[in-house]
Amino acid sequence: MTNAMYRRTLIAAAAAAIVAPQAQAVEVNDDLSIYGSLRQGIETVDPESSDVDSYSGLRDAYTRIGLTGSSEVADGLTGSFTYELGIDSTTGEISTLDFDKGGAYGNKQARVSKIGLSGDFGSVHAGKMWGVFYNAIAYPVDMYSSYYAGWSTYSLFRTSDTLAYSTPEMAGFQFDAGVSFQKGEEEGDVSYGKFGVEEGSGAGGDKRGGGNVYTLTGTWSGGPLTASLGYELRSSEDDGDPENGQPDNEAALMGAAVSADLGNLDLAAQFEQVTDGIEATSGDGGYYVDVDGDRADYYDGTAYLEEDATVYNLYAGYTAGDFKYKAKYGEAEGVTGTFYHLGVDYNASEAMKFFAEYYDDEGGGFSPVGYDDGNSEGGSAFTVGAHYSF
């Protein structure tokens, strides 16, 4: 048996093995329920970097379990909460992505942990939640089922210490605003920033940013079309004096997205640009840069965006019976580089979905291909798997 045949056989066998048993949604009472989604695949990966070997193996695809509830607390007012944990289904550990543990305004375990109040005024939520900018600008093209979904964006996926407000819909328009508060602590003679990482490590030496993140988005929906604009300002406690040659670590990001639901055909396009960042001074600089403009090894979630860096994504999905076919092409400077992503989902039942996907990127600041091994030169991956959701 050739190596290629062996890999195909391995993938087919594992795809059958990872299917979860049937389960039912758990409704504790009228106001409280438990939900979850077991998501796993087996992949064969070919990183471009000579330092990272090709491999085949299991990969979790963002398994999660959560508890959510809501209740009327007064006439016209509803209180709600959601607590959601990420789980690595290949090991059984409570886990989430590395950058969601120690960076990008995340914490160690919970994917979502928020409380809210809604009424005629709109809604307000506090805690850790999906980013306001991500929801409006990046989500419309984040439609894939595997581990390789959603990497081509500069947005913060989930932000902790966040207060967010959504207006009620008015003539098709809705506006969202959020602030994620910086929070650090002192421990002896060592200062720990927002992300629990010792000052002095990672990008920019002891210049780690750590300011608040302010976000504003507006969305219009009418007929089959939805369009959004977004702005995100990432402030920094380490801002210098640009007039005297000191770097200004503050960063700003603007974005736009448009999508169309045309029955069996879904189309979407998205664009992001860093409008205030640090100009790269070295040839290998890109998106993640330190205060000197050199390549940064660590992203702190606030500063170190490269000036004028851009992202674009073009997505199309077509539904035929129980199958959904997907294609996406784009570029994220300094992150994935140019990429394309092909996939097909088969909805076997309301709860069970199978998927097969092929992903390829040229790398940049980092690449999800061989991400755990620090590969930043891109590569390709073929993965098949299943979701079981309740």
Side-chain angles (χ1 to χ4, degrees), residues 177-323:
V179 55
S180 298
F181 296 100
Q182 182 272 342
K183 183 175 66 178
E185 62 183 61
E186 297 288 335
E187 184 174 307
D189 295 328
V190 179
S191 174
Y192 286 82
K194 171 70 189 182
F195 317 110
V197 179
E198 183 178 347
E199 305 287 0
S201 65
D206 59 354
K207 300 289 188 180
R208 293 197 49 77
N212 298 339
V213 176
Y214 305 93
T215 310
L216 177 66
T217 65
T219 298
W220 174 83
S221 297
L225 296 177
T226 299
S228 300
L229 295 174
Y231 177 79
E232 184 171 87
L233 174 65
R234 306 182 190 181
S235 64
S236 172
E237 290 189 332
D238 297 323
D239 283 348
D241 184 357
E243 293 183 1
N244 294 321
Q246 297 177 345
D248 177 7
N249 298 332
E250 187 171 86
L253 179 65
M254 297 188 69
V258 60
S259 60
D261 182 355
L262 304 175
N264 290 347
L265 179 64
D266 302 321
L267 300 174
Q270 171 248 21
F271 178 80
E272 300 172 15
Q273 181 169 16
V274 178
T275 58
D276 182 12
I278 298 175
E279 184 176 354
T281 58
S282 62
D284 63 351
Y287 185 50
Y288 298 155
V289 290
D290 64 21
V291 293
D292 297 318
D294 297 322
R295 167 70 69 199
D297 297 325
Y298 185 85
Y299 171 41
D300 80 350
T302 54
Y304 314 124
L305 302 185
E306 186 189 350
E307 185 77 21
D308 297 328
T310 60
V311 166
Y312 73 87
N313 289 266
L314 303 173
Y315 167 81
Y318 181 76
T319 301
D322 294 326
F323 289 88

Side-chain angles (χ1 to χ4, degrees), residues 7-294:
R7 286 184 176 180
R8 287 195 293 268
T9 301
L10 177 63
I11 289 173
I18 65 177
V19 176
Q22 293 295 315
Q24 299 294 324
V26 179
E27 186 175 286
V28 179
N29 55 46
D30 291 342
D31 301 325
L32 184 65
S33 61
I34 300 172
Y35 67 92
S37 184
L38 173 62
R39 304 175 174 212
Q40 192 181 108
I42 184 167
E43 61 184 16
T44 180
V45 178
D46 186 17
E48 187 69 25
S49 172
S50 59
D51 296 329
V52 184
D53 294 332
S54 299
Y55 62 89
S56 295
L58 293 173
R59 173 81 77 173
D60 182 71
Y62 315 114
T63 294
R64 74 289 304 265
I65 187 167
L67 184 67
T68 187
S70 63
S71 179
E72 187 174 15
V73 296
D75 187 23
L77 290 178
T78 299
S80 64
F81 84 96
T82 299
Y83 186 79
E84 180 180 295
L85 287 175
I87 300 172
D88 187 335
S89 63
T90 67
T91 65
E93 297 175 326
I94 296 175
S95 181
T96 186
L97 292 171
D98 286 342
F99 60 71
D100 203 25
K101 296 176 184 177
Y105 275 70
N107 59 24
K108 291 183 178 180
Q109 294 180 349
R111 287 167 53 92
V112 177
S113 178
K114 66 177 182 177
I115 59 173
L117 189 66
S118 60
D120 292 340
F121 65 92
S123 65
V124 61
H125 289 89
K128 183 180 182 184
M129 63 196 76
W130 285 92
V132 173
F133 188 95
Y134 168 85
N135 282 338
I137 307 301
Y139 178 72
V141 294
D142 188 4
M143 296 287 113
Y144 284 83
S145 303
S146 72
Y147 169 81
Y148 297 91
W151 291 83
S152 181
T153 180
Y154 297 153
S155 64
L156 302 176
F157 291 95
R158 290 178 291 275
T159 56
S160 60
D161 300 284
T162 296
L163 183 65
Y165 169 69
S166 299
T167 69
E169 183 178 320
M170 300 170 288
F173 289 92
Q174 182 172 345
F175 298 90
D176 293 83
V179 55
S180 298
F181 296 100
Q182 182 272 342
K183 183 175 66 178
E185 62 183 61
E186 297 288 335
E187 184 174 307
D189 295 328
V190 179
S191 174
Y192 286 82
K194 171 70 189 182
F195 317 110
V197 179
E198 183 178 347
E199 305 287 0
S201 65
D206 59 354
K207 300 289 188 180
R208 293 197 49 77
N212 298 339
V213 176
Y214 305 93
T215 310
L216 177 66
T217 65
T219 298
W220 174 83
S221 297
L225 296 177
T226 299
S228 300
L229 295 174
Y231 177 79
E232 184 171 87
L233 174 65
R234 306 182 190 181
S235 64
S236 172
E237 290 189 332
D238 297 323
D239 283 348
D241 184 357
E243 293 183 1
N244 294 321
Q246 297 177 345
D248 177 7
N249 298 332
E250 187 171 86
L253 179 65
M254 297 188 69
V258 60
S259 60
D261 182 355
L262 304 175
N264 290 347
L265 179 64
D266 302 321
L267 300 174
Q270 171 248 21
F271 178 80
E272 300 172 15
Q273 181 169 16
V274 178
T275 58
D276 182 12
I278 298 175
E279 184 176 354
T281 58
S282 62
D284 63 351
Y287 185 50
Y288 298 155
V289 290
D290 64 21
V291 293
D292 297 318
D294 297 322

Side-chain angles (χ1 to χ4, degrees), residues 22-23 37 348-353 387-390:
Q22 293 295 315
S37 184
S349 68
E350 185 176 345
M352 179 65 73
K353 176 172 70 176
H387 290 192
Y388 179 82
S389 303
F390 65 92

